[in-house]
Amino acid sequence: MPIEKRVVIKIGSSSLTSRHGEISKIKLEKLANEIAKLKDAGHEVVLVSSGAVAAGYRKLGCLKRPVSLPEKQAAASIGQGLLIESYSHLFLSHGYVASQILILRSDFLDESRYQNVHNTLNVLLERGIIPIVNENDTLSTERLNFGDNDTLAAKVAGLVDADQLVILSDIDGLYDKNPTIHEDATLINHVSEITNEIENAAGGSGSAVGTGGMKSKIEAVKIAMASGISTFLGNANKEDIIVDAVEKKATGTYFTCEKTVTTLNQKKKWIAFHSGSKGEIIINPHAADRMVKKRKSLRLKEIHLVKGKFEKGAVVRVMDMEGEEIARGVVKVSSSGLNQMLQDKTDQVMDSTVIIEMGDFVCHIDAPISIGV
Ligand code: ADP
């Protein structure tokens, strides 16, 4: 059967739990049934699922969902296994094997770990497995449930070159204002660009409406859009929402990318969207032209100034003299080495030393490099 689409589905804890905050068997079953239907139709699926704390807090001895970070992490360490056990069982009943991948946000910052996750996910998808991804809550030093996995799902979608990201929530989609407060809020069916209006509707800066929840979904949409991936946002409780979302007939919000994003190879994608940047190199106008228009390597003699501290192999922001970021690339020399060479100004070294190799940078016109880091 031909592969139809590669779909990343993100489901939030609120869509997996009962009123009391525990995992709801009925909701989990509905999700697994619908994912199985998508698999039956020939699509590849990665599931990004929250719910580890909800699945584990009672066994930790807590009567309600804990609030302190150590207790949440302890609950997650019990619940993650239980959650995966339930998913595995449900998917197996449909004839599909599930796998677990726990990711830390910092895994995306390291190129070899990023490549490893990419390779692992590809093998699993090619073999028809359903990878279930979650943040490694027990190890994460960041705030637990940061963005409730929305941005993690968008990054995973970019990592596996997904055709579509489906974010399921407890609401029908993006409204022009928070529908839980405003009765006259209207559902927005289609968004092709994230404008200030959209950010404000979702509770962006300067707005009194909305919660972090919708805001983090819009952040996720932006990350997906930067990689050329369309996103659907809809209500997890609706019947057949997943299949309908992929077949473009669901009620909800479709975020589509009209601009064709240049296809970047894995290394360049990592540089553009995941690497994080350690410092800045300010270059002269001639070099800026060579880098952006001709994609030529950056040489030592073209550097005007080095800002910040970074090691050899780090990704730095390449700035023009006006302070605009024009590219991001991997440096062959550390900041201290660079400063020393710039101070010595040895003619031969200045002329012959390449600081960022041709294939090791991404220009702003290839990708919106500031997104997702
Ligand atoms: P999940 O747990 O599924 O990730 P969240 O609770 O984090 O979902 O976010 C969804 C919530 O965002 C909605 O239930 C709603 O209360 C709130 N919200 C705020 N602004 C909007 C908006 N403009 N459109 C839709 N929902 C919004």
Side-chain angles (χ1 to χ4, degrees):
M1 192 189 309
I3 298 304
E4 295 289 328
K5 271 186 176 179
R6 189 168 273 196
V7 187
V8 173
I9 299 165
K10 183 261 164 179
I11 186 138
S13 5
S14 63
S15 306
L16 290 174
T17 46
S18 65
R19 272 189 301 124
H20 309 290
E22 289 167 276
I23 291 292
S24 152
K25 255 182 140 184
I26 296 172
K27 289 185 178 177
L28 220 59
E29 252 170 44
K30 175 189 181 291
L31 177 69
N33 288 348
E34 294 191 14
I35 289 178
K37 274 193 199 170
L38 210 57
K39 291 284 299 168
D40 292 344
H43 303 290
E44 292 178 335
V45 179
V46 177
L47 174 63
V48 177
S49 173
S50 313
V53 178
Y57 76 86
R58 281 208 176 257
K59 289 216 161 43
L60 183 66
C62 301
L63 293 178
K64 0 183 251 236
R65 196 184 155 90
V67 274
S68 81
L69 188 60
E71 275 185 327
K72 276 194 201 173
Q73 293 188 313
S77 94
I78 298 170
Q80 182 62 30
L82 297 172
L83 188 65
I84 290 293
E85 190 188 353
S86 305
Y87 274 129
S88 289
H89 187 71
L90 287 166
F91 285 132
L92 268 181
S93 71
H94 293 279
Y96 296 108
V97 174
S99 81
Q100 169 183 252
I101 298 198
L102 296 176
I103 301 184
L104 281 174
R105 255 144 242 273
S106 56
D107 290 334
F108 282 91
L109 298 178
D110 180 285
E111 199 203 340
S112 58
R113 283 197 259 165
Y114 170 83
Q115 275 297 348
N116 274 344
V117 182
H118 171 259
N119 296 343
T120 308
L121 278 166
N122 266 343
V123 171
L124 291 167
L125 288 171
E126 280 159 15
R127 305 266 168 104
I129 314 291
I130 304 171
I132 303 173
V133 180
N134 192 10
E135 179 159 9
N136 195 338
D137 288 338
T138 311
L139 291 184
S140 173
T141 49
E142 292 150 83
R143 192 161 62 88
L144 197 66
N145 278 343
F146 171 82
D148 203 22
N149 276 350
D150 295 314
T151 52
L152 176 65
K155 288 186 175 201
V156 168
L159 187 68
V160 298
D161 285 319
D163 298 293
Q164 195 181 4
L165 170 64
V166 174
I167 299 182
L168 297 176
S169 184
D170 58 352
I171 199 93
D172 283 356
L174 176 72
Y175 285 76
D176 60 349
K177 46 195 161 191
N178 188 347
T180 45
I181 305 175
H182 303 273
E183 265 182 32
D184 61 339
T186 319
L187 183 68
I188 305 172
N189 295 113
H190 183 222
V191 176
S192 58
E193 199 188 339
I194 305 298
T195 58
N196 285 342
E197 250 184 336
I198 297 291
E199 302 241 25
N200 285 341
S205 54
S207 163
V209 298
T211 65
M214 202 38 69
K215 202 176 154 191
S216 84
K217 285 171 187 46
I218 298 301
E219 283 310 308
V221 169
K222 285 203 273 185
I223 294 171
M225 272 185 171
S227 306
I229 300 167
S230 297
T231 304
F232 171 80
L233 173 60
N235 198 328
N237 298 316
K238 286 215 164 123
E239 213 44 54
D240 285 329
I241 187 77
I242 296 179
V243 175
D244 287 353
V246 173
E247 289 178 1
K248 303 252 163 14
K249 54 184 197 198
T251 302
T253 309
Y254 283 94
F255 298 86
T256 52
C257 317
E258 272 162 18
K259 270 186 279 168
T260 332
V261 176
T262 319
T263 318
L264 302 174
N265 64 30
Q266 276 304 322
K267 175 155 196 182
K268 291 201 174 202
K269 256 198 209 170
W270 174 74
I271 293 172
F273 305 127
H274 305 293
S275 60
S277 56
K278 297 281 187 296
E280 289 180 8
I281 290 181
I282 294 140
I283 64 173
N284 66 41
H286 174 67
D289 236 41
R290 274 172 38 92
M291 276 189 104
V292 175
K293 295 200 182 129
K294 300 191 179 137
R295 305 292 196 277
K296 294 283 188 197
S297 312
L298 178 71
R299 294 164 299 174
L300 181 62
K301 66 176 179 190
E302 294 166 322
I303 296 178
H304 174 67
L305 193 71
V306 174
K307 281 190 181 171
K309 276 193 178 166
F310 47 83
E311 295 301 317
K312 176 182 170 187
V315 172
V316 299
R317 303 170 74 204
V318 180
M319 320 292 285
D320 66 14
M321 304 282 273
E322 274 80 50
E324 285 290 314
E325 179 173 354
I326 57 164
R328 238 168 237 209
V330 182
V331 278
K332 294 170 88 69
V333 183
S334 69
S335 53
S336 55
L338 267 178
N339 281 319
Q340 191 61 54
M341 288 196 271
L342 289 170
Q343 207 179 334
D344 295 347
K345 280 202 162 67
T346 318
D347 281 350
Q348 205 208 336
V349 174
M350 287 298 276
D351 279 347
S352 63
T353 313
V354 168
I355 302 303
I356 298 178
E357 212 51 93
M358 228 143 61
D360 284 352
F361 66 87
V362 182
C363 291
H364 69 299
I365 52 170
D366 294 329
I369 43 186
S370 57
I371 289 178
V373 288

